[in-house]
Amino acid sequence: MSSKEELEKQLQAYVGVQIGPPQVAAEPVNESMIYHWCEALGDHNPVYTDAEAGRRSVHKGLVAPPSMLQAWVLDGIAMADPASQPPNKQRELHGLLSAHGYTGVVATNTEQRYSRYLRPGDRISSTTVIESISGEKATALGIGYFINTRDIFRDQHGEEVGWMTFRVLKFKPHQQAQPQPTQGGAAAKPTRMRPPLGHDNAWWWEGIKRGELLLQKCSGCATLRHPPRPMCGKCQSTKWETVAAKGRGTLYSFTVVHHPKFPGFEYPLVCGLVELEEGTRIVSNVVGCEPDEVRIGLPVVLSIENVDDEMKLPLFRAASAAGR
């Protein structure tokens, strides 16, 4: 038996195994978390935050957004320190693959289904089972194995309220090619990763090449949306047109990335969520100022710039600096 066959035999022993004891929510479903979730995501459905609207609705009271299902059982900031987490079969499985050189991991897709709305006071728990492990696959990131897990969520009475499947790829990363020297002898600047282009987004990138930040506008209800997608989330119309953003906005939220450092980026890297004057938001980088000068509410202006020899991206600069 080859080493690969032996590894895959070991991997299959994990299929169908529950990774550990149930994960019990630290707190019951509560109005405070619901409020902050809705505020962060811009979800204005009144049955989530307005008690009177909830009472008048078919729910006869406040309910939680279904997409919060997993949020109730997450460990919070403790997740940032894997060493502090108790061992379980999922970490053991990932460790086995890492020991065989499959050190990279990337989430690829997830699916959720909800049995009922959660209400304040519900206490949620979840159990996770390793549902399947693929054979070795060749991907753009490298060769690896897809691992599917299934979480079952239950309330305080043990009744199922929903489930979630989650897939990750554990892979052997390609060796990073070293930048080749230029004619003058200096190493060429690494390029940014290129976006996948398709029917739903190629038009947007063509606009960036022309120096325009285009926004989709629903032809049915006039709602603006970004990033590009085929259907309006408000009225479900598939008919749309474009409008060019004026390029002004405010910084709604941001984070400063220090690590890991990917080729083609300059660190520290300010990643911001910009609320455009038109009313929709876009994730981009804030450039031209120090990280400690960045603040929520900062007025910013659009600056479409080359980030390498071929690629342009919509970046944002502080309005005060851009006006100098």
Side-chain angles (χ1 to χ4, degrees):
M1 183 179 293
S2 68
S3 59
K4 178 182 173 183
E5 291 172 329
E6 177 60 32
L7 171 61
E8 294 189 348
K9 181 180 178 181
Q10 293 180 57
L11 295 179
Q12 289 308 307
Y14 287 90
V15 175
V17 173
Q18 184 172 309
I19 69 169
Q23 181 82 15
V24 181
E27 296 182 341
V29 175
N30 62 84
E31 295 178 29
S32 179
M33 283 183 64
I34 293 171
Y35 172 82
H36 290 297
W37 174 281
C38 292
E39 182 186 41
L41 296 185
D43 191 335
H44 304 298
N45 189 332
V47 301
Y48 300 148
T49 56
D50 184 329
E52 181 58 33
R55 281 192 292 272
R56 293 197 307 266
S57 74
V58 295
H59 305 293
K60 306 303 180 185
L62 289 176
V63 293
S67 55
M68 286 188 75
L69 183 61
Q70 186 192 20
W72 301 111
V73 298
L74 292 177
D75 283 331
I77 199 167
M79 297 172 65
D81 182 15
S84 69
Q85 301 296 296
N88 63 35
K89 289 296 181 181
Q90 187 172 32
R91 295 189 183 95
E92 183 181 296
L93 169 60
H94 281 231
L96 172 64
L97 284 164
S98 293
H100 283 77
Y102 300 88
T103 55
V105 62
V106 62
T108 62
N109 58 284
T110 185
E111 181 180 357
Q112 294 187 357
R113 186 164 186 171
Y114 317 111
S115 303
R116 71 166 176 86
Y117 280 89
L118 302 184
R119 297 177 179 275
D122 280 331
R123 197 66 174 248
I124 306 305
S125 64
S126 68
T127 54
T128 305
V129 171
I130 299 169
E131 192 170 55
S132 65
I133 303 173
S134 73
E136 189 180 67
K137 304 292 185 181
T139 75
L141 293 174
I143 59 171
Y145 293 88
F146 288 98
I147 303 170
N148 286 356
T149 56
R150 178 177 289 266
D151 290 56
I152 303 295
F153 299 88
R154 295 180 172 85
D155 63 15
Q156 63 273 24
H157 306 297
E159 296 179 359
E160 183 177 323
V161 294
W163 55 258
M164 177 182 76
T165 58
F166 198 78
R167 175 182 290 183
V168 300
L169 172 68
K170 277 288 284 179
F171 62 97
K172 290 183 177 179
H174 289 310
Q175 292 297 315
Q176 179 67 45
Q178 296 299 314
Q180 296 300 308
T182 60
Q183 193 171 14
K189 182 179 179 181
T191 59
R192 295 276 187 104
M193 293 180 287
R194 269 33 184 177
L197 300 179
H199 172 75
D200 293 326
N201 71 342
W203 60 270
W204 188 84
W205 288 101
E206 288 299 322
I208 295 298
K209 287 181 181 178
R210 297 193 302 269
E212 294 181 300
L213 174 57
L214 298 178
L215 304 173
Q216 278 180 302
K217 179 180 179 181
C218 176
S219 299
C221 67
T223 298
L224 295 176
R225 64 182 187 263
H226 183 82
R229 48 195 182 274
M231 181 181 289
C232 175
K234 186 174 182 180
C235 73
Q236 286 72 60
S237 172
T238 56
K239 298 184 183 299
W240 53 273
E241 54 203 81
T242 63
V243 295
K246 296 176 182 176
R248 296 187 295 271
T250 56
L251 195 59
Y252 186 83
S253 184
F254 72 95
T255 187
V256 180
V257 179
H258 296 271
H259 186 81
K261 294 183 177 180
F262 291 96
F265 294 84
E266 295 182 1
Y267 294 85
L269 181 68
V270 180
C271 298
L273 179 61
V274 174
E275 187 161 70
L276 299 171
E277 280 189 356
E278 288 77 9
T280 192
R281 298 171 186 164
I282 180 173
V283 175
S284 183
N285 297 130
V286 179
V287 298
C289 58
E290 296 299 319
D292 59 6
E293 298 174 330
V294 179
R295 57 179 174 80
I296 291 175
L298 178 72
V300 292
V301 293
L302 175 68
S303 179
I304 296 178
E305 303 177 16
N306 279 91
V307 294
D308 57 39
D309 290 340
E310 300 175 353
M311 187 178 189
K312 287 185 176 182
L313 284 179
L315 307 176
F316 286 85
R317 294 177 176 272
S320 57
R324 291 178 200 153

